Amino acid sequence: GAVVSQHPSWVICKSGTSVKIECRSLDFQATTMFWYRQFPKQSLMLMATSNEGSKATYEQGVEKDKFLINHASLTLSTLTVTSAHPEDSSFYICSGSKLGTLLNQPQHFGDGTRLSIL
Amino acid sequence: DQQVKQNSPSLSVQEGRISILNCDYTNSMFDYFLWYKKYPAEGPTFLISISSIKDKNEDGRFTVFLNKSAKHLSLHIVPSQPGDSAVYFCAASDGTASKLTFGTGTRLQVTL
């Protein structure tokens, strides 16, 4: 149980393009979803936390106008990288958590999206 | 400021032996700790967790030990299997909306 599906798995696009990444919880309701970014051989860095139906909370240094997050339902969150540039190239991973049921629910991760901006 | 550290970037262990992965943290507000396993180009997979009220949690071949006074936790895998070869991340939460802080990862290679 607790499967998170992330799509697409790989995107290559030109500089200036906006890219949308979808994150779906398939068999549970994700009250909270998280978006991470990982550079090669580095740790996962939290970008933002989103709760269904409310605005996302962004970590320090993450531009909210650049990385638009929408969490319209308990099973779907989207991250849109607007006007992407080569420095936005990275591995983006989402996760979902079943908060509100039991404390300390682990986050369950999608398989990530590799974004390459040319 | 790296609040969660995994000082060994890599570890090689023979099949059947014990693998011990270590993790240190600096934030005393952390009260929940997790270990994740990650293959290349995939998201992390949850392995095991431990609350700060415990000092040990066991699940099959995986055991996590927590030493709060030393701000140190470790993951023991015994016996190690080739399929365990992956990058292992420890993560910590202070209970605030389950926000996780990850370590830098340790690449485990289990050899035949």
Side-chain angles (χ1 to χ4, degrees):
Chain A
V3 177
V4 174
S5 173
Q6 190 172 337
H7 179 81
S9 57
W10 197 8
V11 180
I12 303 175
C13 58
K14 292 181 179 179
S15 184
T17 307
S18 291
V19 179
K20 181 186 279 189
I21 303 169
E22 289 189 352
C23 180
R24 292 180 185 273
S25 56
L26 298 185
D27 54 359
F28 70 101
Q29 292 186 326
T31 311
T32 302
M33 285 187 166
F34 304 85
W35 287 94
Y36 294 83
R37 184 173 180 175
Q38 185 186 24
F39 291 104
K41 297 186 179 180
Q42 292 190 24
S43 183
L44 282 76
M45 300 300 295
L46 179 66
M47 298 174 65
T49 303
S50 73
N51 291 297
E52 182 264 337
S54 61
K55 289 185 179 179
T57 302
Y58 290 80
E59 295 300 301
Q60 192 172 10
V62 178
E63 299 176 58
K64 61 180 180 181
D65 295 329
K66 174 96 178 147
F67 300 99
L68 301 178
I69 291 172
N70 184 280
H71 191 167
S73 76
L74 286 171
T75 59
L76 174 65
S77 176
T78 60
L79 167 68
T80 302
V81 184
T82 61
S83 187
H85 292 287
E87 59 267 28
D88 299 322
S89 299
S90 190
F91 191 58
Y92 293 87
I93 312 176
C94 70
S95 72
S97 177
K98 293 182 283 185
L99 283 180
T101 53
L102 293 174
L103 290 177
N104 292 331
Q105 285 289 308
Q107 292 177 28
H108 300 279
F109 287 81
D111 278 345
T113 297
R114 181 157 303 284
L115 177 62
S116 297
I117 309 297
L118 304 177
Chain B
D1 176 30
Q2 191 70 33
Q3 296 186 65
V4 180
K5 297 179 184 179
Q6 293 174 256
N7 292 317
S8 297
S10 64
L11 174 68
S12 183
V13 172
Q14 212 168 19
E15 181 181 13
R17 304 262 178 142
I18 184 171
S19 295
I20 300 177
L21 297 100
N22 294 303
C23 180
D24 296 292
Y25 61 96
T26 56
N27 188 340
S28 57
M29 298 300 292
F30 287 147
D31 60 1
Y32 183 55
F33 305 89
L34 308 90
W35 283 94
Y36 284 87
K37 174 181 178 180
K38 186 180 183 299
Y39 294 113
E42 292 184 13
T45 302
F46 170 70
L47 279 176
I48 192 168
S49 63
I50 188 167
S51 166
S52 60
I53 62 174
K54 295 185 174 182
D55 54 20
K56 177 183 175 181
N57 189 25
E58 191 172 351
D59 184 0
R61 297 187 298 116
F62 302 93
T63 303
V64 56
F65 294 91
L66 175 63
N67 183 333
K68 288 189 294 293
S69 60
K71 293 190 176 70
H72 176 85
L73 65 153
S74 61
L75 174 68
H76 293 210
I77 306 173
V78 57
S80 301
Q81 299 173 353
D84 296 329
S85 298
V87 177
Y88 288 78
F89 289 95
C90 69
S93 168
D94 64 1
T96 307
S98 291
K99 178 176 149 179
L100 294 179
T101 301
F102 280 85
T104 49
T106 297
R107 181 177 300 280
L108 172 67
Q109 178 149 13
V110 179
T111 59
L112 298 173

